[in-house]
Amino acid sequence: MENEPDDFIGRIAEIELDESAAIIIEQVDDEITLAIASIVGVHFQVTADQALELSRALAVAAENAANFRAAADT
């Protein structure tokens, strides 16, 4: 059974930052919600384009950090 466009609902990811904070990503249809959960929570919605831009920016930062770490190890 294939997913239909209206089947996209629920939690996509929960990324634990430390013992007291996490980033939660949820999706209901075309609405994407990012929540920074900690003692004080912050919730905001982003568009699909903004989510892609955020994803790309995080991927670039992760690659840069890995390259820096690899260079420091040599």
Side-chain angles (χ1 to χ4, degrees):
M1 182 172 158
E2 288 189 35
N3 285 342
E4 296 297 322
D6 59 355
D7 288 344
F8 296 109
I9 185 168
R11 184 165 292 182
I12 303 298
E14 181 172 336
I15 304 163
E16 187 174 312
L17 302 177
D18 61 28
E19 293 179 4
S20 63
I23 296 175
I24 300 167
I25 302 167
E26 296 178 335
Q27 180 179 2
V28 176
D29 298 330
D30 67 342
E31 293 182 3
I32 302 164
T33 301
L34 302 176
I36 301 171
S38 65
I39 295 171
V40 176
V42 177
H43 299 260
F44 54 95
Q45 290 186 338
V46 296
T47 65
D49 288 339
Q50 290 169 324
L52 287 171
E53 185 175 356
L54 176 60
S55 174
R56 290 180 185 124
L58 288 170
V60 168
E63 184 175 349
N64 289 345
N67 290 340
F68 178 81
R69 188 177 313 133
D73 289 342
T74 60

